Amino acid sequence: MLSKILRVLLLLSFGGAMGIWSSAYVLDNYFSQDVLPVTPHSLEAVEFNHGMWMEGDPVAEVYGIPGDEKIRVVLPDESKLLNPKEDPNLTLMLIDKQHGDNPLQVKTMWFIAKRAAAAALILGHILLFTSIALRIQKRRKKR
């Protein structure tokens, strides 16, 4: 009975590791988007900046204070995304950290997924060795 429970737990731990890894892969490749984070200006400031903006000026600064580099976000909130008419190829994400905006970045998701999968694999190996030890002990008792 105990060996059957160990086998089920063993399969669940190795399957869990694969599930964690494949879920992270799917989220990264199919449900994530590269965005430039921008701390938004007020509507009045954006309107003023539109009037002052000239061809060749940075587009992101019209809408707020841009981050240093693009980030990849998992399941971005569509209401926070903005493709400016000045540069439709650019995707801005309006993030106001003072109001609790903190989107899940792909690098954070992978950080967690790698460690969770590693923990599941370690548990699987412990269960595997325990199962083997119990089988050896059971065979020795039969002799």
Side-chain angles (χ1 to χ4, degrees):
M1 179 69 174
L2 183 60
S3 64
K4 288 183 182 182
I5 293 172
L6 281 174
R7 282 186 207 150
V8 169
L9 291 174
L10 177 70
L11 290 173
L12 286 174
S13 64
F14 285 126
M18 290 302 297
I20 290 167
W21 197 261
S22 59
S23 296
Y25 177 82
V26 168
L27 284 171
D28 184 5
N29 287 294
Y30 298 104
F31 297 99
S32 298
Q33 187 171 1
D34 291 320
V35 298
L36 179 63
V38 174
T39 303
H41 287 315
S42 66
L43 292 176
E44 296 82 18
V46 172
E47 288 178 18
F48 177 77
N49 290 341
H50 271 290
M52 299 297 292
W53 185 82
M54 293 177 19
E55 188 72 34
D57 288 345
V59 175
E61 292 177 2
V62 171
Y63 298 94
I65 302 167
D68 295 333
E69 58 187 32
K70 287 186 176 185
I71 60 173
R72 190 158 177 82
V73 178
V74 179
L75 297 168
D77 182 1
E78 296 293 327
S79 67
K80 304 274 184 190
L81 296 179
L82 175 68
N83 288 40
K85 61 185 175 191
E86 297 87 2
D87 185 1
N89 295 326
L90 182 64
T91 302
L92 306 176
M93 183 168 203
L94 303 175
I95 300 173
D96 191 355
K97 296 229 178 202
Q98 291 179 347
H99 287 103
D101 290 346
N102 198 12
L104 176 61
Q105 293 183 41
V106 168
K107 65 181 179 180
T108 304
M109 178 198 62
W110 276 112
F111 178 86
I112 294 167
K114 287 177 185 178
R115 280 142 186 85
L121 287 174
I122 290 169
L123 176 62
H125 281 91
I126 291 170
L127 292 169
L128 176 65
F129 294 134
T130 304
S131 178
I132 291 170
L134 286 175
R135 281 188 185 179
I136 291 171
Q137 184 182 19
K138 190 175 182 181
R139 286 184 184 164
R140 285 185 180 168
K141 284 185 179 182
K142 285 185 179 181
R143 290 185 193 176

